[in-house]
């Protein structure tokens, strides 16, 4: 390329730019944090690459440095670094598209909503380089990557940008901001000093403020450059922890919890870990950038090192610095280092222990955390059998005996159990209303036995991994025929079942035949007290809720016939019996039988295969009932 070419921003970028310039006004100083963080990243990058390719440095001795240069006459603020720079293609890609998946998700969610000014929301994603346009009418980026020639990017932050070659230029990047008239305060030294101190004090490379005094250039390093994770926790103020968190996460809100410790033993490392106050929107997306930053003796190695934490702790953000790891190898090789696995084990133990403490000491705050990340933590039941019991201790559930939004741990559930209760029961449901309307609950209500309500979609598969807690079996009441009766009651219930079974033997058989294609079996049930019937799945098959979920994900669900359980003492049985006796081949009997099954399907929230049929049967029934003499 020898001359100027013009490019359009990707559509997403245009939207983001619009958003940035219109909604970040009250927080516009963050542009400096973003540009300094990019400069620092670029230095980390070249420093790491030069370990194996020293020729990239081009010069022998080099002090890595970031400079901030205000120019009052030109009304420009320039931020330079001697980092990795960019070649033309990188320039076009990195400053013309949105790479971060979170930002994309965010934009999609934002479409059609009126949240345009919601700071917290935007803060979750970080706007990065584009934040330069909060304070600038025009931005010019001059850059040169080692062993390539320099090029220049320029834009007014509207639809397009231009790229052209530049002349001789040292390796690195120079970002020149042509400040807006109302942003000229960012030329003032004390403003710049304050902003750097506030957001970027811990940046490892020197950030120099370069000014001219009486024609002479002076440089003043603004940041203390202390890697915060290396300090002792007693020396660090909450404010410092929070600023570093914001730098790491691009979040505008303070974190909910800080875990800072030194791992000891065969391997020494420092870890500074944060838990955000809110879950990012892309937490469940496969592209979610989970992991912690990895440093080796203060040298930044990589962002999002996935080897350091298991996916069920992907909500953690932070830094791990381990001096024992070997620096002079490729990033891939570092990731293969078996010692990372050891660090991970230590981190998992520490974090789970810390969560347990938190739950004990500040339940209210813990619940706030749990509401955001409990669903993710639960995945650990399935994936980490070694820590299963510890994770189980950390879980919270609504139950049939709590109010909406009140939670009990499994331990609390055990404490509330009657001595006669030998098992822990749970019910999977879509929401509380549906849960409480489940016929299977009736017997539990009658006996005042508490049932855990599982209403997170993940519950369906993770709870299968948790078969007992403190030696008490855990059972799903939608799967298993659970008998809550005492020995004596059992006798009379069995007798009753037998008696009714005998009395309605033919009826039951006829119902079974009519519904043969739709259910596996029809039988009397000891567990219904109010409802006339319900459907039950056999142990080891999918619950109705699970089926619903798979269907909603577009998955093929194997057809599994269920068992229709009927309450042998419901008055409807007498009616059915009379219809059966008068003419079991009549259309009316067939309608009644079908209505029985439809009711069961409706109560479990399943989709009716023929809703029109149901509607017709009900209206026929209504007409018949109303036209029967003596009824109205
Ligand atoms: P992020 O830093 O999260 O990747 P940004 O929008 O801040 O997102 O920056 C986008 C990309 O532009 C960076 O990932 C990097 O590749 C490139 N970039 C930005 N500033 C610089 C710089 N000073 N030196 C080298 N590359 C840079
Ligand atoms: Mg950035």
């Amino acid at each position: 390329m020898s001359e100027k070419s013009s490019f359009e921003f990707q559509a997403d970028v245009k939207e983001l730019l619009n958003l940035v310039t219109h909604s970040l006004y009250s927080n516009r100083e963050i542009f400096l944090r973003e540009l300094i963080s990019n400069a620092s990243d670029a230095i980390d990058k070249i420093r790491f690459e030069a370990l194996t390719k020293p020729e990239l440095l081009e010069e022998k001795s080099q002090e890595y440095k970031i400079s901030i240069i205000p120019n009052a006459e030109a009304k420009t603020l320039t931020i330079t670094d001697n980092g990795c720079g960019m070649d033309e293609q990188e320039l076009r890609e990195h400053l013309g598209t949105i790479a971060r998946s979170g930002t994309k998700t965010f934009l999609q969610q934002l479409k059609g909503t009126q949240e345009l000014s919601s700071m917290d929301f935007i803060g979750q994603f970080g706007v990065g380089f584009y934040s330069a346009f909060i304070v600038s009418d025009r931005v010019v980026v001059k850059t040169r990557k080692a062993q390539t020639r320099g090029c220049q990017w320029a834009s007014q932050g509207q639809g397009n940008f231009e790229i052209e070659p530049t002349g001789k230029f040292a390796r690195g990047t120079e970002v020149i901001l042509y400040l807006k008239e109302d942003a000229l305060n960012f030329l003032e030294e004390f403003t710049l000093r304050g902003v750097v101190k506030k957001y970027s004090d811990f940046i490892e490379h020197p950030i120099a403020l370069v000014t001219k005094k009486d024609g002479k250039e002076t440089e003043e390093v603004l940041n203390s450059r202390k890697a915060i994770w290396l300090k002792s926790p007693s020396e660090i103020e909450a404010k410092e922890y929070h600023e570093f968190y914001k730098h790491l996460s691009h979040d505008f809100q303070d974190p909910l919890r800080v875990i800072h410790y030194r791992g000891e033993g065969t391997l020494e490392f420092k870890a500074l870990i944060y838990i955000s106050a809110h879950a990012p929107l892309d937490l469940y997306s496969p592209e979610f950038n989970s992991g912690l930053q990895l440093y080796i003796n203060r040298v930044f190695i990589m962002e999002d090192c996935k080897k350091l934490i298991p996916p069920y702790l992907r909500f953690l953000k932070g830094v791990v610095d381990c001096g024992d790891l070997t620096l002079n190898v490729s990033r891939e090789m570092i990731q293969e280092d078996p010692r990372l696995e050891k660090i991970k084990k230590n981190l998992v133990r520490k974090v789970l222990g810390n969560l347990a403490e938190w739950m004990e000491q500040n339940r209210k705050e813990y619940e706030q955390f749990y509401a955001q990340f409990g669903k993710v933590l639960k995945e650990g039941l399935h994936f980490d059998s070694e820590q299963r019991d510890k994770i189980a201790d950390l879980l919270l559930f609504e139950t049939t005996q709590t109010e909406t939004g009140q939670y009990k741990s499994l331990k609390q559930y055990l404490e509330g159990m009657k001595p006669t209760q030998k098992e822990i029961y749970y019910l999977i449901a879509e929401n509380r209303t549906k849960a409480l309307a489940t016929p299977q609950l009736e017997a539990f209500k009658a006996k005042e036995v508490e049932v855990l309500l599982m209403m997170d979609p993940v519950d369906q598969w993770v709870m299968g991994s948790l078969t007992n807690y403190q030696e008490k079996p855990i059972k799903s009441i939608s799967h298993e025929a659970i008998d809550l009766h005492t020995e004596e009651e059992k006798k009379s219930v069995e007798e009753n079942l037998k008696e009714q079974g005998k009395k309605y033997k033919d009826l039951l058989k006829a119902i079974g035949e009519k519904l043969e294609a739709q259910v596996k079996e029809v039988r009397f049930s000891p567990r219904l007290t109010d409802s006339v019937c319900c459907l039950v799945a056999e142990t080891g098959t999918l619950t109705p809720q699970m089926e619903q979920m798979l269907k909603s994900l577009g998955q093929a669900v194997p057809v599994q016939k269920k068992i229709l359980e009927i309450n042998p003492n419901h008055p409807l049985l007498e009616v059915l019996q009379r219809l059966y006796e008068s003419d079991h081949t009549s259309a009316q009997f067939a309608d009644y039988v079908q209505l029985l099954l439809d009711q069961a399907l409706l109560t479990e929230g399943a989709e009716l295969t023929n809703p029109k049929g149901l509607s017709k049967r009900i209206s026929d029934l209504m007409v018949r009932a109303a036209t029967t003499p003596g009824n109205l």
Side-chain angles (χ1 to χ4, degrees):
M1 185 186 67
S2 58
E3 43 198 72
K4 202 184 267 189
S5 342
S6 186
F7 302 91
E8 284 255 324
F9 281 118
Q10 200 187 37
D12 283 349
V13 179
K14 287 188 202 165
E15 258 170 272
L16 185 69
L17 279 168
N18 194 11
L19 210 65
V20 164
T21 42
H22 288 102
S23 53
L24 289 173
Y25 190 84
S26 58
N27 235 303
R28 44 197 206 153
E29 62 196 28
I30 58 119
F31 83 90
L32 196 56
R33 173 187 78 185
E34 294 299 324
L35 297 180
I36 289 175
S37 126
N38 285 351
S40 170
D41 291 350
I43 292 175
D44 288 342
K45 212 161 152 191
I46 187 82
R47 182 175 57 179
F48 184 79
E49 284 170 2
L51 289 172
T52 43
K53 290 190 212 149
E55 67 276 14
L56 287 180
L57 293 180
E58 294 180 345
E59 299 149 43
K60 289 245 154 42
S61 75
Q62 177 138 33
E63 199 208 351
Y64 292 112
K65 194 168 80 178
I66 301 164
S67 304
I68 301 179
I69 310 156
N71 182 335
E73 278 152 41
K75 297 181 185 170
T76 60
L77 183 67
T78 303
I79 292 101
T80 73
D81 65 71
N82 49 1
C84 61
M86 286 173 269
D87 62 22
E88 193 218 318
Q89 193 192 343
E90 288 169 333
L91 197 50
R92 208 167 49 218
E93 275 168 18
H94 297 326
L95 306 187
T97 60
I98 297 178
R100 255 192 240 122
S101 65
T103 313
K104 276 196 185 142
T105 318
F106 161 64
L107 282 172
Q108 276 155 16
Q109 303 249 349
L110 209 75
K111 270 177 203 156
T113 72
Q114 287 305 103
E115 297 270 6
L116 288 184
S117 62
S118 166
M119 282 290 305
D120 299 343
F121 230 49
I122 294 172
Q124 278 193 49
F125 301 95
V127 285
F129 170 79
Y130 302 108
S131 61
F133 289 100
I134 314 173
V135 292
S136 317
D137 287 326
R138 180 171 137 84
V139 176
V140 173
V141 179
K142 293 184 178 180
T143 182
R144 193 172 71 79
K145 183 178 174 153
Q147 297 166 340
T148 69
R149 62 180 183 165
C151 45
Q152 170 176 319
W153 177 104
S155 174
Q156 297 182 334
Q158 267 126 29
N160 56 325
F161 59 90
E162 283 164 353
I163 291 184
E164 63 188 304
T166 52
K168 199 166 154 32
F169 189 73
R171 190 204 69 241
T173 303
E174 192 176 311
V175 179
I176 307 158
L177 309 176
Y178 291 84
L179 294 176
K180 292 183 179 171
E181 279 301 321
D182 63 357
L184 296 179
N185 58 318
F186 291 108
L187 294 172
E188 291 161 12
E189 285 179 35
F190 86 87
T191 309
L192 293 169
R193 241 181 240 125
V195 176
V196 170
K197 201 79 196 151
K198 179 166 172 196
Y199 294 108
S200 315
D201 192 50
F202 38 76
I203 293 281
E204 186 196 337
H205 314 289
I207 304 168
L209 177 63
V210 182
T211 48
K212 270 205 180 116
K213 290 220 169 78
D214 310 322
K216 255 179 50 196
E217 208 168 75
T218 58
E219 276 195 26
E220 172 194 351
V221 174
L222 299 182
N223 55 333
S224 71
R225 305 173 59 189
K226 273 198 197 141
I228 178 171
W229 59 90
L230 297 182
K231 293 200 216 170
S232 128
S234 61
E235 289 171 35
I236 307 173
E237 282 179 50
K239 216 176 85 210
E240 264 181 278
Y241 273 135
H242 294 178
E243 288 309 337
F244 183 64
Y245 163 75
K246 289 174 187 171
H247 158 79
L248 272 182
S249 65
H250 302 274
D251 197 345
F252 281 94
Q253 271 184 38
D254 287 342
L256 206 54
R257 191 152 181 96
V258 182
I259 306 172
H260 184 190
Y261 79 108
R262 172 212 292 265
E264 278 163 343
T266 47
L267 203 62
E268 289 218 357
F269 66 92
K270 302 265 176 20
L272 174 53
I273 292 169
Y274 293 97
I275 297 175
S276 319
H278 47 71
L281 293 173
D282 57 342
L283 190 58
Y284 300 96
S285 138
E287 291 118 71
F288 181 70
N289 287 328
S290 68
L292 302 175
Q293 284 191 347
L294 177 64
Y295 283 75
I296 299 181
N297 258 339
R298 287 186 67 176
V299 175
F300 175 79
I301 304 299
M302 62 188 299
E303 199 75 50
D304 309 324
C305 179
K306 293 194 170 38
K307 287 275 161 81
L308 286 173
I309 43 166
Y312 71 90
L313 295 179
R314 63 181 176 275
F315 50 83
L316 300 175
K317 292 224 181 314
V319 169
V320 167
D321 190 337
C322 176
D324 293 346
L325 296 171
T326 322
L327 186 57
N328 193 9
V329 283
S330 74
R331 216 168 260 141
E332 286 66 37
M333 280 176 74
I334 293 174
Q335 290 212 74
E336 293 309 314
D337 194 317
R339 286 173 292 189
L340 284 189
E341 190 61 30
K342 278 199 180 140
I343 299 181
K344 173 169 153 185
K345 277 220 163 104
N346 186 306
L347 286 169
V348 167
R349 226 179 311 127
K350 183 75 185 184
V351 169
L352 293 180
N354 192 289
L355 292 178
E357 245 169 58
W358 195 11
M359 185 179 188
E360 189 80 9
Q361 289 163 1
N362 190 343
R363 176 67 175 257
K364 211 170 138 229
E365 210 181 69
Y366 179 81
E367 286 188 7
Q368 216 178 319
F369 150 76
Y370 195 83
Q372 297 295 323
F373 301 110
K375 296 186 198 56
V376 177
L377 182 66
K378 264 184 214 171
E379 294 172 13
L381 291 177
H382 181 80
F383 290 112
D384 195 347
S385 52
E386 216 172 291
Q387 302 294 342
R388 190 171 293 145
D389 293 342
K390 286 226 181 80
I391 297 169
D393 284 334
L394 296 171
L395 303 181
L396 292 175
F397 304 100
E398 284 189 26
T399 82
T400 46
Q401 293 177 13
T402 64
E403 303 288 325
T404 310
Q406 268 186 359
Y407 302 95
K408 281 194 179 176
S409 64
L410 287 170
K411 193 165 147 243
Q412 287 173 305
Y413 177 94
L414 288 189
E415 284 161 6
M417 260 164 60
K418 294 199 182 103
T420 47
Q421 189 184 335
K422 300 279 181 279
E423 299 169 329
I424 296 169
Y425 302 114
Y426 71 90
L427 169 67
I428 289 186
E430 218 177 295
N431 56 46
R432 196 177 167 97
T433 316
K434 282 197 180 165
L436 296 181
T438 306
Q440 281 94 325
L441 265 186
E442 288 168 9
F444 291 82
K445 272 187 214 150
K447 288 264 169 193
E448 292 181 341
V449 172
E450 187 168 24
V451 176
L452 300 166
L453 304 179
M454 309 260 167
M455 298 173 293
D456 286 335
V458 287
D459 288 330
Q460 330 216 358
W461 58 276
V462 296
M463 285 310 291
S465 310
L466 191 68
T467 49
N468 54 68
Y469 179 73
Q470 300 201 356
E471 286 156 31
K472 297 266 187 308
I474 301 186
K475 294 196 167 158
S476 153
I477 70 165
S478 15
H479 270 100
E480 300 183 41
I482 287 151
D483 197 346
L484 295 174
H485 297 104
T486 61
E487 287 308 314
E488 270 150 68
E489 287 169 334
K490 242 183 219 162
K491 247 186 235 151
S492 78
V493 166
E494 263 161 33
E495 243 159 60
N496 172 269
L497 269 185
K498 224 198 237 157
E499 229 170 75
Q500 301 295 81
K502 225 187 268 162
K503 183 168 161 198
Y504 296 120
K505 187 165 161 253
D506 296 338
L507 173 66
L508 215 54
K509 193 160 159 255
I511 297 176
E513 279 164 9
K514 288 246 179 283
L515 298 178
E516 204 175 4
Q518 301 170 72
V519 300
K520 186 159 187 287
E521 189 191 336
V522 177
R523 67 184 183 208
F524 278 152
S525 157
R527 55 177 148 182
L528 295 173
T529 59
D530 303 329
S531 301
V532 61
C533 60
C534 69
L535 282 165
V536 294
E538 280 179 291
T539 308
T541 59
L542 299 174
T543 59
Q545 293 79 16
M546 183 88 184
E547 279 184 17
Q548 290 297 307
M549 189 180 75
L550 287 176
K551 274 188 199 153
S552 70
L553 291 174
Q555 305 240 9
V557 178
V559 180
Q560 313 178 81
K561 286 200 205 163
K562 303 221 176 80
I563 299 162
L564 179 68
E565 287 196 347
I566 300 180
N567 177 352
N569 303 309
H570 198 282
L572 187 59
L573 272 186
E574 266 311 306
V575 176
L576 282 166
Q577 177 74 9
R578 261 187 274 133
L579 281 176
Y580 171 75
E581 280 169 9
S582 80
D583 180 5
H584 68 270
T585 59
S586 72
Q588 195 183 3
F589 179 65
D591 276 354
Y592 268 60
V593 170
Q594 187 60 45
L595 273 170
L596 203 59
L597 176 62
D598 286 347
Q599 286 184 55
L601 283 168
L602 278 176
T603 43
E604 74 167 22
E607 216 174 286
L608 295 168
T609 44
N610 184 2
K612 230 174 155 181
L614 170 66
S615 162
K616 182 172 181 311
R617 279 187 289 278
I618 293 177
S619 15
D620 285 353
L621 195 69
M622 288 164 84
V623 170
R624 221 178 294 144
T627 49
T628 304
N631 263 7
L632 271 184

